[in-house]
Amino acid sequence: MSQRKKRAAELHHLLAERFPKAFPADYNDLLPLKIGVEADIIGRLGSLGEQIDPSLLRRVMANHTARAGYQLAVLHRPGGHRHDLDGNPVDPLDARARDEAIRLLAEHRQRHKEASDRLKQHNALKKREQNAKAARIAERERQIAQKQHCREKNKSNQLIDPEQKTVLERGRKTEERSDAAPSLPAVIFRKRRRIEPT
């Protein structure tokens, strides 16, 4: 948190301590504040011996009144009045303040929707990246398992005892011969006997 934000948060906390009706802790209890309330704050805190920076106070008040809860209070708070630091109603809210509250709430909704859309896009991209990473890991593991299987097969081939190796080689040679040109049938020539007439 920057130094300015820290100082603004401290001042807002001080205002909530000194004026709990005007700056309530509960979001639903926010009140529309009277115009010129900054001067009242400076006067009341000055009488208590606390000096505050007017520009910092303007920033804190701008943050406070820009909240969606504050704008909802302007639109829907029963009685339709602005309030002083003690929570007492002082001035009625005019139509211009209500129109401004409607405009600010619409902007707030639009910003919230855009942020929500960005978050959805970010999450979808993150999920796609995670799925791609999982697929790469699975492919790598499959290749490793395949290499391991080939290594084990080669190792088992090397461990065959010499007698089995000889038998396998004979069988292979026999298969090679049988795969070559087919052997011709053996022909046996028999000598004919001549019978002499008597």
Side-chain angles (χ1 to χ4, degrees):
M1 185 183 282
S2 70
Q3 195 62 29
R4 284 179 68 188
K5 283 186 179 178
K6 192 173 179 181
R7 286 175 54 216
E10 288 171 356
L11 179 56
H12 194 272
H13 184 69
L14 176 69
L15 294 175
E17 276 183 5
R18 297 287 186 267
F19 313 111
K21 296 280 186 183
F23 300 94
D26 189 358
Y27 196 73
N28 296 320
D29 293 338
L30 288 171
L31 297 172
L33 298 175
K34 74 174 199 172
I35 295 170
V37 75
E38 291 95 342
D40 293 351
I41 292 170
I42 291 172
R44 293 269 292 269
L45 289 179
S47 66
L48 295 172
E50 297 178 21
Q51 298 297 320
I52 57 172
D53 182 10
S55 64
L56 183 62
L57 178 61
R58 277 193 297 276
R59 179 178 173 166
V60 169
M61 290 306 297
N63 288 342
H64 179 74
T65 57
R67 297 165 82 183
Y70 184 87
Q71 301 306 323
L72 288 170
V74 169
L75 287 174
H76 303 296
R77 193 77 184 168
H81 284 84
R82 292 184 179 277
H83 298 77
D84 64 8
L85 292 174
D86 298 319
N88 302 317
V90 286
D91 301 322
L93 283 161
D94 56 358
R96 201 175 91 189
R98 292 179 194 278
D99 292 342
E100 182 68 10
I102 290 169
R103 184 185 69 77
L104 290 172
L105 278 172
E107 287 178 3
H108 178 75
R109 255 188 242 108
Q110 182 64 28
R111 280 195 308 272
H112 185 70
K113 184 180 180 306
E114 288 170 0
S116 175
D117 291 344
R118 281 195 304 272
L119 182 63
K120 283 178 187 172
Q121 288 174 354
H122 173 73
N123 288 342
L125 178 65
K126 194 173 180 181
K127 192 170 185 178
R128 279 198 303 272
E129 287 174 353
Q130 286 174 344
N131 289 342
K133 185 177 180 180
R136 286 194 305 272
I137 290 170
E139 177 62 21
R140 197 177 311 128
E141 287 175 353
R142 188 191 66 76
Q143 289 174 353
I144 289 168
Q146 190 176 11
K147 285 180 183 176
Q148 183 66 24
H149 177 70
C150 289
R151 273 194 223 105
E152 288 172 1
K153 194 173 178 185
N154 288 341
K155 204 171 191 181
S156 66
N157 286 344
Q158 290 171 359
L159 294 176
I160 295 175
D161 64 337
E163 288 179 16
Q164 284 182 325
K165 208 170 191 180
T166 310
V167 171
L168 287 173
E169 282 176 9
R170 279 188 201 145
R172 212 174 297 124
K173 285 178 184 175
T174 308
E175 285 175 11
E176 287 173 5
R177 271 188 259 136
S178 65
D179 289 344
S183 59
L184 297 172
V187 178
I188 301 172
F189 294 101
R190 291 190 181 188
K191 204 173 182 187
R192 281 190 178 183
R193 280 199 216 163
R194 277 179 99 189
I195 301 173
E196 297 287 331
T198 52

